[in-house]
Each structure stands twice: as structure tokens, then as C-alpha cells.
Amino acid sequence: VNGSRNQTYAVQQELVAELGYKLPGVAEAILLVAATYVQTGGEVRLLNDDPWTYTRCQERVYGFPLIVGGFASGGLVVNYEFNFGLVDIGALALRKF
């Protein structure tokens, strides 16, 4: 979502809600990244390492939102946000049908 990088979790939730969407769950974010990678024959890596990009998700651990991203040759990062303040964390928008 444009303008969501380096914003608080609450601001990101508002930005996504204004579009009529919601933040993804961890499983949904992982599925989106994996499906896009497979569908494009490995040409497109969403939430990748150029630049380092992560999305906050709905689930929390120790009070911190889980993040998904940094998709590089070593794989995809799933972690909680603590100590991730130096990287760009934005927000994906998800609409369920």
C-alpha cells in the first residue's frame, strides 16, 4: 500500500481499511508470495530483498505483529517485529471473496 512503509501498525491498518481491505494473515501472505513466484516461473519475488520489504500481518507474538518478507535466495522470513525497526515494513492489502 502506497505510503505504508515505516508507519505504525495502527496507521497501516487505517490505510488498508480506507481501501476496503484488511491486512493479510501470515498464511495468506506466504501463499501470495509463493503462488506469484511459481506462477511467474521464478521471475517475480514479492516482498523481496531489493529493497528489503516486509508486510505486517494480523497475528501477533509477544504483542508484536508478525511480519513476512525479505524473500531472497535463502527463503522467506516469518518473524515477529521486535528488532526489525531498521528495515522497511509496509502493508499488503487483502480482499477476501
Side-chain angles (χ1 to χ4, degrees):
V1 173
N2 288 335
S4 68
R5 282 183 186 262
N6 299 317
Q7 298 294 327
T8 66
Y9 185 68
V11 169
Q12 289 175 343
Q13 285 179 306
E14 289 175 22
L15 289 171
V16 170
E18 287 173 4
L19 298 172
Y21 297 90
K22 66 176 188 167
L23 289 171
V26 171
E28 295 159 332
I30 292 169
L31 181 60
L32 175 64
V33 170
T36 301
Y37 185 75
V38 170
Q39 184 180 16
T40 63
E43 294 293 318
V44 176
R45 287 183 297 123
L46 296 178
L47 303 176
N48 63 56
D49 62 339
D50 186 23
W52 289 102
T53 305
Y54 299 84
T55 186
R56 285 189 176 106
C57 297
Q58 294 177 22
E59 297 90 347
R60 291 177 174 263
V61 171
Y62 303 120
F64 296 97
L66 287 172
I67 60 171
V68 173
F71 186 27
S73 60
L76 184 66
V77 173
V78 177
N79 206 336
Y80 62 100
E81 186 182 335
F82 183 71
N83 285 337
F84 266 81
L86 300 177
V87 296
D88 286 324
I89 301 174
L92 289 177
L94 175 72
R95 175 180 282 170
K96 285 193 170 184
F97 295 99

